Amino acid sequence: AQSVAQPEDQVNVAEGNPLTVKCTYSVSGNPYLFWYVQYPNRGLQFLLKYITGDNLVKGSYGFEAEFNKSQTSFHLKKPSALVSDSALYFCAVSEGGGADGLTFGKGTHLIIQP
Amino acid sequence: DAGVIQSPRHEVTEMGQEVTLRCKPISGHDYLFWYRQTMMRGLELLIYFNNNVPIDDSGMPEDRFSAKMPNASFSTLKIQPSEPRDSAVYFCASTYKPGHTGELFFGEGSRLTVL
């Protein structure tokens, strides 16, 4: 069975500083990895994905994520945080390209302080 | 494109009542998913459809829950009878055929409160 762990319930970062939101995964085959963001009272929005190829994936709003197979991690990063980045972030995994239903982590609250 | 449309956005009902949540996926998307979000359990996949056919309903909590997709542009999630522990935000999402982007497009959600 596939699973995702987001070890931090909340991450606090000062505006302008780099941010990292951690994610580790477990799958039996090749992973398809995703990051989504959720703003209050809204649905989830896709940020980026890793399917194959370059381990560093770039996505929306200046976010990027690095796939590390040996550490089974897919951490989300941004070089310089904005207050508007404050939201709930979900890591997700699939073994079927995303169309068989994603397994989501519990989510990490990212709080960017002015 | 209007995106995935869900209704109602908010529903407050009493224990024992029937609840029906509705979803209109993005036109041309072959897959439709129902997720439930709670503080305790996070996001849980309840059921998903491919070309209007239910593929995996192993996440449906119990027989009180049922889902249908009578055509490519409409799906319902029904709870009968409802219980307070069903209180959650229910999301519908759709996507293209497998092997495409794999990106799910979510609706705004239906917040259900069962008293």
Side-chain angles (χ1 to χ4, degrees), chain A residues 1-106:
Chain A
Q2 57 201 35
S3 65
V4 174
Q6 293 181 244
E8 302 152 318
D9 290 335
Q10 183 171 306
V11 171
N12 295 284
V13 178
E15 186 177 24
N17 283 0
L19 68 87
T20 298
V21 182
K22 296 179 181 178
C23 171
T24 58
Y25 65 90
S26 175
V27 296
S28 56
N30 292 322
Y32 294 74
L33 295 158
F34 304 81
W35 276 101
Y36 284 78
V37 60
Q38 184 180 30
Y39 298 100
N41 301 313
R42 303 294 299 277
L44 279 70
Q45 297 176 33
F46 169 81
L47 271 181
L48 52 80
K49 70 178 189 288
Y50 170 83
I51 303 297
T52 187
D54 196 345
N55 290 345
L56 185 63
V57 176
K58 294 188 183 297
S60 307
Y61 312 120
F63 283 93
E64 58 189 27
E66 186 167 11
F67 171 64
N68 188 317
K69 188 172 183 178
S70 62
Q71 297 185 1
T72 61
S73 67
F74 190 58
H75 301 332
L76 181 70
K77 300 182 180 183
K78 187 173 182 181
S80 179
L82 300 172
V83 172
S84 58
D85 293 330
S86 298
L88 182 59
Y89 289 80
F90 290 93
C91 183
V93 68
S94 169
E95 293 182 73
D100 294 336
L102 299 178
T103 298
F104 286 87
K106 293 279 191 180

Side-chain angles (χ1 to χ4, degrees), chain B residues 24-36:
Chain B
K24 175 179 168 55
I26 293 174
S27 177
H29 283 189
D30 299 285
Y31 286 78
L32 184 141
F33 302 81
W34 282 100
Y35 280 89
R36 178 172 68 177

